[in-house]
Amino acid sequence: MNASQYFQTLRKTLNIDLVARSLKLSEQLSHLNCFVSKFSSPIQKKTAVENLHGIPFAAKDNFCVSNTKTTCCSDVLSDFESPYTATVVQRLLDAGAVLIGKTTLDEFAMGSFGVNVKNEYKARNPWLHSLSDNWLLPGGSSSGSAVCVAAGIVPFAIGSDTGGSIRIPAALCGVVGFKPSYGALSRHGLIALANSLDCPGFLSRTVGGVACAFHHSQGIDTKDQTSIEVESFNDTFNFNDIKIGVSSEFHVKEIPSEAIDTWSKVLSIFETSGSQIIPVALDHTRYTPACYASLCFADVSSNMARYDGFHFGKNSQHHLREQVRGRIQIGNYILKKNNYGKYFLSATKLRRIICNEISEAFGLVDFIVTPIIAKHLRLNDIEDVGYNQLLTFSNDVSTMMFNLNGSPALVLPCGLSDEGLPLGIQIVAAPGKDWKLLAVAAWLENKLNFSYSNIDSEISLILSNNK
């Protein structure tokens, strides 16, 4: 199916007002805490073209929308109203999509669990949902976007990904999460975390959903000098003769056994279909967390300096949560004159080594398939895990390294664990090969035939109990 037509086919098949349905569901499922704000009069462009006409979506609350609050779930920006709209949001509005609200996130997109935020913004994973205070965590930082898609509130949502912030929640909530190549989507209007790592992206229940959203929002933007055009897809691509790269470096001690089984299952599907499974050397993978932390925290300390109470928002000194303050302090330390060469420059050199290894791997293979290492946790488990950055980053090692080199990467739900929770896999392509990645992901999605019947039954039960 043509990517531009995907949601129109959905709308005609359901034959209902999708916007009204989404608004109603957002109210009925408000206890999932996936929205910072919902618009009683959804934002739409009445003169838009037909392709996405009447299709509702949500945007993470670090994307600016004109004349509405953009808070990043922080008290620092609690009163900030943006004078302009982010390019990725505007292009979707221009195509006819309807914005129904802004979704929750870890404060300033800093977090991997969705809990580094005030209680009313802590999104709840709808899988095995419980109204108790020990709910399943959705992952972060695009927690609200993942939850509202998993719960069926909207067909797709916008997120941002700096080291796995779309892909980790997608895996834990059982949806498709797509981080395009760096620059494929404009960063104009995305409140920066780490400029050289940030990527807007999409979450949906299907590959067709993220592909359609990407189709209508990709391309050069004069307001973002890092924006690029990606290659179009070659329809003659042979899905039965794919070279798949596998690195043993992702077989870390933190990985759950079920994640390994899922990884093996997907590789078997490729192999059975005629693909070659080729080992690739990514020898510096284990250094990725240290490299990422040094570069990311340095960017954070620089970007957060603007929140001084005069230029933007309130004085950050008195309104930021512990994890954000900690990253700023570490970043300042890294950028001190005596430490700059030891930490920041060393990290940039290491980044180049990691990027070169990935580039060499893509000289041998079409795609790299990796496991998703992050585990399902409940809220009480965080008391044991805390905000241990090393543990958090080791869980994200398979995702964050592809922010370092700018590759497009997609997480696909593959099945359920023994406990009935979703399990995912990550597929990665070389930078600029976004449409090739989406094509093979759609092919694999068809082979896996993942079902949402379990989560739909849970949502139906919640709705019936709320009547």
Side-chain angles (χ1 to χ4, degrees), residues 9 94 143 173 283 287 299 316:
T9 302
D94 291 343
S143 48
C173 291
D283 297 333
Y287 302 118
D299 260 0
S316 61

Side-chain angles (χ1 to χ4, degrees), residues 301-314:
S301 67
S302 177
N303 283 323
M304 294 300 293
R306 73 192 70 179
Y307 304 112
D308 55 8
F310 294 99
H311 296 87
F312 295 98
K314 302 172 185 176

Side-chain angles (χ1 to χ4, degrees), residues 317-362:
Q317 181 179 356
H318 306 295
H319 292 90
L320 291 174
R321 300 178 72 83
E322 179 181 354
Q323 183 168 167
V324 178
R325 292 200 307 271
R327 291 194 183 194
I328 294 171
Q329 290 166 355
I330 295 172
N332 287 336
Y333 180 80
I334 289 170
L335 292 176
K336 286 181 64 176
K337 181 178 180 180
N338 294 339
N339 297 329
Y340 183 81
K342 187 193 306 184
Y343 297 113
F344 187 78
L345 288 184
S346 294
T348 59
K349 293 175 183 177
L350 180 55
R351 181 181 190 174
R352 175 49 51 199
I353 293 172
I354 293 171
C355 290
N356 287 342
E357 287 184 348
I358 297 172
S359 180
E360 289 173 9
F362 281 122

Side-chain angles (χ1 to χ4, degrees), residues 19-91:
V19 174
R21 174 183 177 274
S22 290
L23 290 172
K24 183 177 179 180
L25 281 174
S26 69
E27 290 298 327
Q28 292 173 319
L29 299 174
S30 59
H31 61 280
L32 294 178
N33 296 341
C34 53
F35 284 97
V36 177
S37 57
K38 290 174 282 191
F39 306 134
S40 55
S41 298
I43 299 174
Q44 55 186 314
K45 186 175 180 180
K46 294 181 180 179
T47 58
V49 298
E50 274 293 308
N51 288 326
L52 291 181
H53 178 70
I55 304 300
F57 73 103
K60 189 175 178 180
D61 198 35
N62 58 348
F63 286 87
C64 292
V65 177
S66 177
N67 299 318
T68 66
K69 286 187 177 181
T70 299
T71 70
C72 290
C73 281
S74 176
D75 288 340
V76 171
L77 292 178
S78 59
D79 298 324
F80 173 67
E81 287 193 6
S82 174
Y84 61 89
T85 297
T87 296
V88 65
V89 176
Q90 188 60 59
R91 286 179 175 176

Side-chain angles (χ1 to χ4, degrees), residues 91-373:
R91 286 179 175 176
L92 292 169
L93 294 173
D94 291 343
V98 182
L99 181 62
I100 69 162
K102 308 287 287 296
T103 59
T104 53
L105 63 150
D106 291 284
E107 185 180 29
F108 281 103
M110 299 186 209
S112 297
F113 301 110
V115 297
N116 182 37
V117 71
K118 293 190 291 188
N119 285 336
E120 59 265 35
Y121 296 148
K122 291 179 180 176
R124 303 183 177 206
N125 193 329
W127 287 83
L128 298 185
H129 182 64
S130 169
L131 293 177
S132 73
D133 292 332
N134 189 28
W135 62 84
L136 196 68
L137 299 179
S141 64
S142 302
S143 48
S145 292
V147 169
C148 70
V149 168
I153 297 173
V154 290
F156 75 96
I158 303 175
S160 63
D161 192 308
T162 307
S165 293
I166 287 175
R167 289 162 289 160
I168 295 299
L172 296 178
C173 291
V175 298
V176 177
F178 176 50
K179 179 198 82 70
S181 296
Y182 181 79
L185 292 178
S186 170
R187 288 185 296 112
H188 172 70
L190 167 62
I191 294 178
L193 171 60
N195 305 62
S196 67
L197 302 170
D198 292 340
C199 290
F202 300 104
L203 301 98
S204 180
R205 282 192 170 193
T206 64
V207 175
V210 297
C212 184
F214 180 60
H215 170 81
H216 288 289
S217 52
Q218 66 173 333
I220 297 291
D221 178 18
T222 57
K223 298 173 182 176
D224 177 6
Q225 294 183 351
T226 64
S227 61
I228 62 169
E229 291 282 1
V230 298
E231 294 181 15
S232 58
F233 175 60
N234 181 359
D235 290 329
T236 63
F237 185 73
N238 185 359
F239 291 102
N240 296 319
D241 188 25
I242 300 170
K243 295 178 181 177
I244 300 295
V246 178
S247 174
S248 61
E249 292 290 329
F250 295 118
H251 204 296
V252 296
K253 64 180 181 180
E254 293 85 3
I255 187 170
S257 59
E258 288 176 321
I260 296 176
D261 294 341
T262 303
W263 191 17
S264 299
K265 170 187 171 182
V266 170
L267 293 176
S268 295
I269 291 174
F270 278 113
E271 197 166 25
T272 302
S273 300
S275 301
Q276 299 179 54
I277 308 299
I278 300 174
V280 293
L282 299 175
D283 297 333
H284 288 76
T285 299
R286 61 187 179 277
Y287 302 118
T288 297
C291 176
Y292 172 89
S294 298
L295 297 174
C296 180
F297 292 179
D299 260 0
V300 165
S301 67
S302 177
N303 283 323
M304 294 300 293
R306 73 192 70 179
Y307 304 112
D308 55 8
F310 294 99
H311 296 87
F312 295 98
K314 302 172 185 176
N315 191 319
S316 61
Q317 181 179 356
H318 306 295
H319 292 90
L320 291 174
R321 300 178 72 83
E322 179 181 354
Q323 183 168 167
V324 178
R325 292 200 307 271
R327 291 194 183 194
I328 294 171
Q329 290 166 355
I330 295 172
N332 287 336
Y333 180 80
I334 289 170
L335 292 176
K336 286 181 64 176
K337 181 178 180 180
N338 294 339
N339 297 329
Y340 183 81
K342 187 193 306 184
Y343 297 113
F344 187 78
L345 288 184
S346 294
T348 59
K349 293 175 183 177
L350 180 55
R351 181 181 190 174
R352 175 49 51 199
I353 293 172
I354 293 171
C355 290
N356 287 342
E357 287 184 348
I358 297 172
S359 180
E360 289 173 9
F362 281 122
L364 302 174
V365 299
D366 299 302
F367 305 97
I368 296 173
V369 174
T370 81
I372 294 297
I373 299 170

Side-chain angles (χ1 to χ4, degrees), residues 411-426:
V411 163
L412 193 65
C414 300
L416 300 178
S417 68
D418 292 340
E419 194 181 353
L421 296 173
L423 297 167
I425 200 76
Q426 178 180 232

